[in-house]
Amino acid sequence: MSRVHVLDHPLIQHKLSLIRDKETGAKEFRELVAEISLLMAYEVTRDLPLKEVEIETPVAKATAKVISGKKLGIIPILRAGLGMVDGMLKLIPAAKVGHIGLYRDPETLEPVGYYCKLPSDVEERELIVIDPMLATGGSASAALRLIKEKGARSIKFVCLIAAPEGIERLQREHDDVDIYVAAIDKCLNEHGYIVPGLGDAGDRLFGTK
Ligand code: PRP
Ligand code: URA
């Protein structure tokens, strides 16, 4: 069974409350999503392996630790996942970035795929799939399926707000993928929106609608 990590750091929770507020405009919303993503990247990378190297400080020779192991890849689910890329890259600037284009059909709530471009060595990377919202879980599950079909083996999923339904679905369909979330909300409404959530993440990020 995959693990669910709720990142309840006070800074993350404070900024999350600000983006939930319907009065928060696109500019501030974008900035806050980037800041929350940076803070989440700090927690998501907590288990990266380290190795010892010999260095020389201005004072003495020393054994120091640097990150080792697989290289990283960040995969935003378009559109709204794009809002999380820059914050993550601030902490892990050498990561390659792939893109998966999916939108949720408003009637059926089923994901519709329209784009997929991943790093060519995706099977050798530790991948972090990002999308602010995990509602029914249809989009995230489809993205993870696609990435696995391309050979990926080591994947984490990071979102800002999840519904219990989405968490259950991801755990059922991708039990090898750990989930990192800033908040798990109450439920979905009849239109498949997370309650209380923050509304449509893509529209709020890009000022559409
Ligand atoms: C939103 C969100 C997720 C999806 C979540 O994207 O960014 O990708 O909905 O819903 P689900 O868990 O029920 O699949 P949307 O379909 O609105 O597309 P957009 O990012 O292009 O606006
Ligand atoms: N997609 C969003 O952007 N928001 C929701 O609440 C559900 C799906």
Side-chain angles (χ1 to χ4, degrees):
M1 176 69 87
S2 68
R3 282 175 300 169
V4 180
H5 307 257
V6 180
L7 306 184
D8 57 1
H9 189 288
L11 286 174
I12 295 178
Q13 294 306 313
H14 179 83
K15 290 172 194 291
L16 190 61
S17 301
L18 296 176
I19 58 171
R20 286 184 188 277
D21 189 334
K22 66 177 184 184
E23 302 301 334
T24 300
K27 175 181 179 289
E28 202 186 342
F29 189 93
R30 260 198 302 271
E31 290 166 357
L32 287 163
V33 168
E35 289 168 14
I36 296 169
S37 305
L38 182 151
L39 294 167
M40 292 185 84
Y42 180 79
E43 292 292 342
V44 171
T45 51
R46 183 175 281 283
D47 61 354
L48 287 182
L50 293 168
K51 66 178 178 191
E52 293 194 334
V53 294
E54 299 305 315
I55 59 158
E56 200 168 338
T57 76
V59 178
K61 287 193 172 164
T63 304
K65 293 184 172 124
V66 295
I67 289 168
S68 70
K70 291 183 180 175
K71 297 204 169 107
L72 298 176
I74 298 172
I75 318 281
I77 302 177
L78 309 181
R79 284 179 302 168
L82 288 175
M84 298 176 71
V85 174
D86 286 352
M88 291 252 160
L89 281 177
K90 281 222 166 81
L91 284 200
I92 36 179
K96 285 193 177 170
V97 182
H99 296 86
I100 294 188
L102 285 173
Y103 71 88
R104 195 173 71 154
D105 182 292
E107 300 301 324
T108 65
L109 302 185
E110 288 299 320
V112 182
Y114 59 89
Y115 189 72
C116 179
K117 182 81 180 173
L118 302 178
S120 55
D121 56 355
V122 80
E123 67 286 350
E124 289 161 23
R125 288 185 179 263
E126 288 210 25
L127 300 178
I128 304 173
V129 177
I130 53 179
D131 190 331
M133 311 304 277
L134 178 66
T136 66
S139 304
S141 187
L144 294 173
R145 205 163 41 244
L146 201 61
I147 294 167
K148 287 180 183 176
E149 280 166 12
K150 306 270 183 192
R153 283 167 296 174
S154 175
I155 314 173
K156 292 171 176 171
F157 179 77
V158 184
C159 65
L160 304 188
I161 302 180
E165 293 89 332
I167 300 245
E168 273 165 35
R169 179 161 177 182
L170 272 205
Q171 288 196 303
R172 198 170 56 246
E173 298 181 4
H174 298 281
D175 68 356
D176 53 338
V177 176
D178 277 4
I179 301 167
Y180 294 78
V181 59
I184 302 175
D185 277 9
K186 210 158 53 190
C187 58
L188 295 175
N189 70 12
E190 65 276 25
H191 305 294
Y193 277 88
I194 298 174
V195 182
L198 51 71
D200 188 303
D203 284 343
R204 295 203 58 193
L205 267 171
F206 298 111
T208 43
K209 212 169 209 172

